[in-house]
Amino acid sequence: MRKINYPFLIFILVVLIAAKLLIKNEYYLSIVIFGMFNAINASCFNLLLGYTGIISLGQAAFYGIGAYFAVIVAASFGINPVLAIFLASLFSALTAFIVGYPTLKLHGHYLAMATLGFGMIIYVLMNEMAFITGGPSGFLDINKLKFLGITIYGEHSFYIFVAIMFFIFTVLFEMFDKSYLSYKLKFIKESEFASKSFGINIFKTKLLVFSIAAGITAFNGGIYAYYSGFISPVSFNFSYSIKLLTMAIVGGLGTVPGGIIGAAVLTALPEFMASIEDYEMILYGCFLAITIIFLPGGLTGLIKRILNKNAAD
Amino acid sequence: MQFFYSGITSGSIFALVALGFNIIYNTTGIINFAQGEFVMIGGMLIYTLLSIYGLPFLIAAPLALMAALILGAIFERVFIKSVRSPNEIKLITITIAASIILRGLGMVIWGRNSLSVDAYVPYKILELPAGTLTSNSLLVIIVSLITAFSLSLFFKRSSLGKAFRACYDDKIAAGICGVDVSKIRMLAFAIAALLGVIAGIVTTPITYVTYTDGIMTGLKGFAAAILGGLGSFWGGVAGGLLLGIFEGFFASVFPSGYKDAFAFLVILAVLFLRPKGLFGKKKAERL
C-alpha cells in the first residue's frame, strides 16, 4: 500500500493560507469559496465514477436536498443550523440508500439514466412544491450560521470556515485513497466478476459508497445554503451534475487531486474570461470531449507524466 | 378522451426520438445523450430557413433534412470515432459532452428566446368522439407514422438495412461478410439525426423551440425507448405513444407542473421492474 501523500496535503494547506492572506477582494474570495464547494462535490463524484465505476448523473439532487433540508428544518423547527446540516447529511445518505437499492443493480447506460431521472424528479419537486421550497423563485428566509457561539457571516469568516471543512475532507479523501476500501473499490471497477469471485459483496459496497458520497455532498449543500443566503432550484439542476462530472473527469478520475484540480480550473476559468457566460457550457463540453479523447488520465495524469519525465531526465 | 388525443400527438414525437435512440443503440451499443439536441437543432434550422431566409417550406424542409444527415455523420466522426479504447463510461460521457456543446451552440447562434414558425397546414379543428384534434397535431401524427413505417421497410427490405441488422447481431461477423461497419455506424448517427430533425420540424409550429428543449425531449424519448424495450423498433413506437397517453392522463389528474417528473418515474419504474421493457427481447444487464 502507498503512503499518505503529505507534500500534497501541505501544499493544499499552504495554498489555502496564502489565498486568505493575499486575496483581499471579497469577490475573488467568493470564487475561491465556490471552488472549494465544487471541489468537494467533484471529489464525491470521483469517489463514485473514478473509484467505483458508478456513473451518477443526479449528484446535484443530493446537493439540493442538503441545502433545502438544512434550511427548511432549521427554519421550521427552530433548531441550530449546524445540527440541521448534519441532519440534512443523514437524510440525504438515507435517501441515497433507498434510491440506490434498486438503482445500483443497474449498469452503464441504465444506471446513468436512472440517476439522471432521480435528479430530474428532485428538480421538478423543488420547483413545484412551492409551499415548502418557495418554488422557482427560491427560498430566502435563511438564518445565520451560528457555531460554538460564533456567528459565521460574510466572505472572510466563511472563507475560514469552508477552508477548514475543505481541508478536513481533503485529508479524509487522501486517507480513503490509501485505505483498503479504495483498493476494494478499484478492484470492483476493474472487474466485477473477478471481485465477486473473491467474495466481495459488490452491491453492498456500492450502496455504501453511494450513500457516503450523497451524505458528504448534502453536508456541503447545507453549508452552501447558509453561505449564499438564498437557494433556488437553478443551482441544483442537471447542468450542475454535468459540471461536477466534467470537473472530475477533466481533473483526473480515481485520484484525490483530480477533483480539486478539475474544480479549481473549471471554476476559475470562466471568471477570468469576461462575458464568457454564454460560452460557459460549450467550454465545459469542449474540455470534457478533449479530455476523453486525448487525455485519458485528465490533468492529474498529465501533470504526473510531466513530473516523471523531468525526474527521469 | 381529450388527454388521449393530445397524448398521441406528443407521444408520436417521443416515438421518433425513441427510434433515434434505438437505431444508434442497435448498431453501436451507444445511448446517444445528444439525441434530444438533434430535435432542438431541427426546430432551429427550420425556423432559420423559413422565417429568416424566407424560403418556401418545400425547399426549407429538404434542406434541413440534408443538414441533419451531414450533422449526424460529422457528429459520429468527431465525437464517437475519435474515442480511443472506448468503454461504456467514455461513450456516455462523450455524448454528454457533445450534447452540452450542441446546446451551447444553439444558445449562442439562436439566442435564449422561444422561436416559432407558422403552421404548415391551415388551422382546422377535427371533431372526434369526446374530444378534438387540430390539423397541426394530425400532421405530427401522420409524419411520425410514415417515418416509422418507411424506416421499418428500409431495415427489413433494403440491403443497406440488412447490413444495419447484421451489425447489430454480430459486428465482427458482419465485417467479415463485407459490411463496412464503420460506415454503418456513421450512417446510424446520420439517420438518428434525421429523425430528430424531422421531430423538430413538425413540432416547432405547435410547441415553439428553445435552446434548452433538447434535455427534456431527449429524456422523454429515452423513457419511451426504455418503456418499449431498448433496441426494439416497434417497441420504441409503442413506448412513445404509451408514454404520451400516460403523460396526458397524468397531467389531467395532477397539477401540470409535475408532468415532467412523470417520464422519469416511468424510467425508474421500468428499470426497476422490467429492465427489458414491455416489448424488448434482450435482458438488461443486472448484477
Side-chain angles (χ1 to χ4, degrees), chain A residues 76-146:
Chain A
S76 338
F77 301 106
I79 57 171
N80 185 289
V82 177
L83 182 62
I85 290 171
F86 276 103
L87 287 178
S89 172
L90 274 179
F91 177 76
S92 172
L94 190 68
T95 313
F97 186 84
I98 294 166
V99 174
Y101 201 83
T103 320
L104 292 173
K105 287 183 175 154
L106 303 163
H107 282 266
H109 298 122
Y110 291 91
L111 177 60
M113 276 295 179
T115 51
L116 206 169
F118 166 72
M120 285 302 219
I121 290 172
I122 297 294
Y123 178 67
V124 170
L125 291 183
M126 285 191 286
N127 267 307
E128 295 302 320
M129 292 169 72
F131 49 96
I132 305 175
T133 63
S137 45
F139 196 95
L140 254 174
D141 193 18
I142 297 177
N143 288 333
K144 289 201 175 70
L145 195 60
K146 282 204 187 80

Side-chain angles (χ1 to χ4, degrees), chain B residues 43-113:
Chain B
M44 297 294 190
L45 276 178
I46 200 75
Y47 166 81
T48 310
L49 294 168
L50 287 179
S51 302
I52 295 181
Y53 292 107
L55 294 174
F57 180 74
L58 287 179
I59 298 175
L63 273 180
L65 297 182
M66 295 254 286
L69 286 172
I70 297 167
L71 175 78
I74 294 175
F75 183 95
E76 198 270 343
R77 283 291 120 117
V78 172
F79 291 110
I80 311 295
K81 207 182 175 211
S82 51
V83 178
R84 271 170 287 167
S85 57
N87 59 31
E88 207 173 11
I89 301 282
K90 271 190 188 174
L91 290 171
I92 291 173
T93 39
I94 196 83
T95 61
I96 290 175
S99 80
I100 56 183
I101 292 173
L102 287 180
R103 197 178 315 144
L105 285 177
M107 192 189 71
V108 170
I109 299 172
W110 287 287
R112 289 166 189 271
N113 296 328

Side-chain angles (χ1 to χ4, degrees), chain A residues 295 299-313:
Chain A
L295 287 175
L299 290 176
T300 312
L302 185 71
I303 293 169
K304 261 186 200 155
R305 246 179 291 160
I306 293 169
L307 288 179
N308 286 344
K309 211 177 198 178
N310 285 349
D313 282 345

Side-chain angles (χ1 to χ4, degrees), chain A residues 154-234:
Chain A
E155 307 296 338
H156 290 280
S157 50
F158 254 106
Y159 178 85
I160 296 169
F161 183 68
V162 177
I164 292 170
M165 178 182 82
F166 171 71
F167 187 71
I168 292 172
F169 274 121
T170 308
V171 172
L172 288 177
F173 283 131
E174 180 65 25
M175 281 163 68
F176 158 79
D177 185 60
K178 306 299 181 289
S179 73
Y180 171 66
L181 180 63
S182 100
Y183 285 87
K184 194 161 132 185
L185 295 182
K186 286 194 168 164
F187 190 23
I188 290 177
K189 192 189 172 199
E190 253 350 282
S191 169
E192 293 203 353
F193 285 113
S195 45
K196 206 186 254 172
S197 67
F198 268 75
I200 296 174
N201 189 329
I202 300 170
F203 179 62
K204 256 190 193 161
T205 317
K206 279 186 173 178
L207 202 53
L208 177 76
V209 177
F210 192 63
S211 306
I212 291 175
I216 298 174
T217 309
F219 185 82
N220 206 6
I223 293 168
Y224 162 78
Y226 285 97
Y227 165 62
S228 73
F230 167 77
I231 47 172
S232 71
V234 182

Side-chain angles (χ1 to χ4, degrees), chain A residues 276-305:
Chain A
I276 190 103
E277 201 196 338
D278 283 358
Y279 297 90
E280 196 189 349
M281 284 321 274
I282 300 183
L283 194 77
Y284 272 86
C286 291
F287 263 109
L288 188 53
I290 290 168
T291 310
I292 294 166
I293 296 171
F294 299 109
L295 287 175
L299 290 176
T300 312
L302 185 71
I303 293 169
K304 261 186 200 155
R305 246 179 291 160

